[in-house]
Each structure stands twice: as structure tokens, then as C-alpha cells.
């Protein structure tokens, strides 16, 4: 099997860090970019297939205290913070993944999640709680009810979690890992320089094992430093197909440093590059 190369790379703008990335179920991925000095946020939507920019939007009412909250079908949901010292979600924006158009916005409720064309929100009062069910595309309030529906909301939240399983993430590698027997030999071979305090995180996709781990780099300015590494290995041959250093000088452990959607692998390098790898032709 041939070595793997990135399919495309998106480089963030000068002074902006890639803060969060969020794919749709279909063909787009949204990047949340932040300029930490000017305290402004920009959202850039890319094609999953080639990394081309589809749209960019940074003219929200709140330039900094806003973040990606969720996605449902072809709609992204962004939420403001109510105030800087209280990271509860405030105003909600529904944004078309195709155009970047704000379909609607609302501050009557705190956003909870979106599922199957509906948005679920809540308003907490001193002695009561009200739930809202909203049309995801129009913002029309379809239903409101009290705590008697709390159990139903929890069941829907569990359905939401299941609906996001199109995003595959790695799992800490130990004897309870579902692919422990398959990948143990590879992990032992390719992570022999890893810091034993931080177990590697592994995702197995057919004949491919994706391994992410940390290497201790010593102490700098009184703080321990670490390197974060991704390796992609062919299971049946033990061949190293790809490797990259995601972060070269960390002061802390980073979990979930990559994810897969279908046959794509996505990861951020040094908070300035989003890298996409396609595995289909490799499996």
C-alpha cells in the first residue's frame, strides 16, 4: 500500500487560530477562527472534498462571545454567551451551510440541541423550566411545555448523540478498547517513545489503525512540554503509511486530536492548519 498524503490543507488567516471544526453529515465543514488579540471571531465553511471556501461570515452582533454549537442536516447553529463570565448559551443563530445566510435568530431560549429538523431549547426561571420546540429552518416556535416533558427531552438528547455517530473519534487505548487485540502489537511498536502517563488514543478503520499519542520533551520555563503525534498504520503489514506532528510544544495533554467522517481524516496542526486525508483508496 502506498504512503498517504494530505488531500488538502486549509491555512488560517494571519493572527487567527483554528478554535473548533464541525462537519455536516453531507459535504461541508465549518471552521471557527479566533483572533485572540483583537477578540474577533470568523466562521469559514469549506468543502469536505477539496477544502475550497464556500463562504465566510464574521458580521454577527457579538464578535467574540459566539461559538459553533451544533449542526442538523444542512444548518449550522451558532450561539452567543449570555455574558463573558457565564458560558451558558444565549442568542441562537441558524445559518445555512450552503450560503452562510442567517435563516433566523432568537434569544427567547437557551439552545440545547437540534435533531431531525427541530431545535430544542430551554428557559430556566427561578422555580420553573420551559422547553421550546422550534422549526430548524424557519425559527417558528412549534411547541412549548414544562418539566412534565423533561424525560422525553432526555430521550431525544440520547437520539441526538446517536445521530452524531457519523463523526468517529479515537478511544483511549487499553484492554477495554474494542480493537485491543487487533491493534496491540502496532501500538507497542509505534508508540515506544510515548509518555506512559497519557495512553495513546486509537481508532481502527478496516485495515487501518490511526494512533495519536504524546511524547515528553522535558521541562521548559518550569513547565513540562509535550509533542503530539499522529501515525496511520496498515494493520496487516505493519507499514507506517503517514505520520505528522500535530503540536510540537504543548504544556498539556490534548485528547480527541483528530476525527474521521466516512473515509476522511481531519486534524488541526498547531492551530493554524486544517488537514484532510482521504483513506478510501488506501483501505
Amino acid at each position: 500500500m502506498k504512503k498517504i498524503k494530505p488531500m488538502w490543507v486549509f491555512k488560517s488567516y494571519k493572527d487567527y487560530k483554528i478554535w473548533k471544526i464541525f462537519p455536516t453529515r453531507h459535504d461541508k465543514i465549518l471552521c471557527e477562527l479566533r483572533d485572540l488579540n483583537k477578540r474577533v471571531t470568523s466562521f469559514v465553511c469549506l468543502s469536505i472534498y477539496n477544502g475550497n471556501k464556500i463562504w465566510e461570515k464574521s458580521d454577527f452582533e457579538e464578535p467574540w462571545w459566539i461559538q459553533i454549537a451544533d449542526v442538523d442536516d444542512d444548518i449550522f447553529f451558532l450561539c452567543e454567551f449570555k455574558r463573558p463570565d457565564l458560558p451558558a448559551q444565549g442568542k441562537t443563530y441558524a445559518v445555512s451551510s450552503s450560503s452562510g445566510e442567517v435563516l433566523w435568530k432568537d434569544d427567547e431560549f437557551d439552545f440545547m440541541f437540534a435533531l431531525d429538523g427541530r431545535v430544542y431549547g430551554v428557559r430556566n426561571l427561578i422555580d420553573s423550566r420551559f422547553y421550546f420546540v422550534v422549526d430548524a429552518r424557519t425559527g417558528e416556535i412549534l411547541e412549548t411545555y414544562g418539566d412534565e416533558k423533561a424525560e422525553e427531552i432526555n430521550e431525544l438528547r440520547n437520539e441526538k448523540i446517536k445521530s452524531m455517530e457519523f463523526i468517529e473519534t479515537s478511544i483511549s487505548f487499553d484492554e477495554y478498547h474494542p480493537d485491543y487485540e487487533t491493534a496491540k502489537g502496532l501500538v507497542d511498536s509505534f508508540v515506544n517513545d510515548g509518555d506512559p502517563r497519557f495512553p495513546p488514543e486509537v481508532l481502527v478503520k478496516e485495515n487501518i489503525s490511526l494512533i495519536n499519542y504524546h511524547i515528553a520533551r522535558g521541562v521548559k520555563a518550569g513547565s513540562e512540554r509535550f509533542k503530539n503525534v499522529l501515525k496511520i498504520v496498515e494493520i496487516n503489514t505493519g507499514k507506517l503509511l503517514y505520520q505528522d506532528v500535530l503540536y510540537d510544544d504543548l504544556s498539556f495533554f490534548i485528547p480527541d486530536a483528530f476525527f474521521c467522517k466516512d473515509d476522511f481524516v481531519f486534524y488541526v496542526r498547531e492551530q493554524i492548519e486544517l488537514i484532510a486525508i482521504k483513506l478510501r483508496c488506501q483501505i
Side-chain angles (χ1 to χ4, degrees):
M1 185 178 294
K2 294 181 180 179
K3 292 273 189 174
I4 299 173
K5 295 181 180 180
M7 187 170 184
W8 55 261
V9 177
F10 167 75
K11 294 187 177 182
S12 186
Y13 311 138
K14 182 181 178 182
D15 299 326
Y16 278 84
K17 301 292 188 183
I18 300 175
W19 211 253
K20 186 184 293 187
I21 54 176
F22 214 122
T24 68
R25 182 178 295 278
H26 307 295
D27 59 354
K28 299 177 183 67
I29 188 166
L30 186 62
C31 301
E32 179 180 310
L33 311 180
R34 292 185 177 270
D35 184 325
L36 304 184
N37 295 317
K38 295 181 180 178
R39 296 171 74 81
V40 292
T41 308
S42 183
F43 298 92
V44 179
C45 186
L46 308 173
S47 165
I48 279 179
Y49 300 118
N50 54 31
N52 290 345
K53 183 169 72 173
I54 299 170
W55 54 264
E56 178 179 357
K57 191 170 183 63
S58 57
D59 57 351
F60 292 97
E61 296 169 21
E62 170 51 58
W64 180 249
W65 298 104
I66 185 170
Q67 66 177 357
I68 304 170
D70 202 356
V71 65
D72 183 50
D73 194 28
D74 61 346
I75 301 175
F76 289 112
F77 297 93
L78 312 180
C79 289
E80 295 179 357
F81 298 141
K82 286 186 172 179
R83 56 177 206 265
D85 60 339
L86 181 63
Q89 293 171 338
K91 185 178 293 182
T92 300
Y93 297 85
V95 181
S96 166
S97 69
S98 299
S99 65
E101 176 190 1
V102 176
L103 303 176
W104 55 269
K105 57 185 177 180
D106 200 309
D107 60 2
E108 283 194 62
F109 54 83
D110 290 351
F111 179 91
M112 297 175 66
F113 59 90
L115 178 67
D116 296 336
R118 293 190 170 193
V119 168
Y120 296 86
V122 64
R123 183 193 297 164
N124 292 303
L125 303 178
I126 295 175
D127 57 357
S128 61
R129 176 183 297 142
F130 293 94
Y131 294 101
F132 293 75
V133 183
V134 177
D135 185 291
R137 192 163 298 279
T138 67
E140 177 188 358
I141 295 176
L142 304 175
E143 297 178 70
T144 60
Y145 37 73
D147 276 334
E148 72 277 2
K149 293 283 189 174
E151 185 174 342
E152 182 178 326
I153 290 290
N154 286 334
E155 291 175 358
L156 289 168
R157 194 194 300 272
N158 289 334
E159 289 184 29
K160 172 64 184 183
I161 293 170
K162 291 180 181 178
S163 77
M164 298 301 291
E165 289 178 354
F166 68 89
I167 301 174
E168 298 178 89
T169 57
S170 55
I171 303 173
S172 181
F173 193 75
D174 56 27
E175 63 269 27
Y176 301 106
H177 192 284
D179 295 295
Y180 181 75
E181 294 300 327
T182 300
K184 185 180 186 304
L186 294 176
V187 172
D188 290 343
S189 298
F190 287 98
V191 191
N192 52 17
D193 56 346
D195 190 319
R197 293 172 296 177
F198 307 120
E201 296 191 339
V202 176
L203 174 63
V204 172
K205 290 179 69 66
E206 297 188 36
N207 191 37
I208 298 290
S209 180
L210 299 101
I211 306 169
N212 181 240
Y213 68 102
H214 293 74
I215 301 171
R217 299 194 63 216
V219 177
K220 178 180 176 181
S223 173
E224 284 194 272
R225 316 303 292 186
F226 307 94
K227 180 185 294 188
N228 182 281
V229 177
L230 173 66
K231 292 182 177 179
I232 302 178
V233 182
E234 186 178 32
I235 293 173
N236 62 350
T237 65
K239 181 180 178 181
L240 180 64
L241 301 177
Y242 182 86
Q243 67 176 333
D244 198 3
V245 176
L246 280 57
Y247 296 93
D248 190 55
D249 190 28
L250 290 169
S251 60
F252 48 85
F253 167 78
I254 292 185
D256 302 321
F258 74 91
F259 68 83
C260 294
K261 180 192 176 296
D262 299 327
D263 300 316
F264 285 91
V265 183
F266 297 97
Y267 67 90
V268 174
R269 182 165 58 199
E270 300 292 359
Q271 278 197 287
I272 59 174
E273 292 181 318
L274 170 59
I275 296 170
I277 299 169
K278 187 171 175 61
L279 296 175
R280 177 177 291 266
C281 59
Q282 318 295 335
I283 295 178

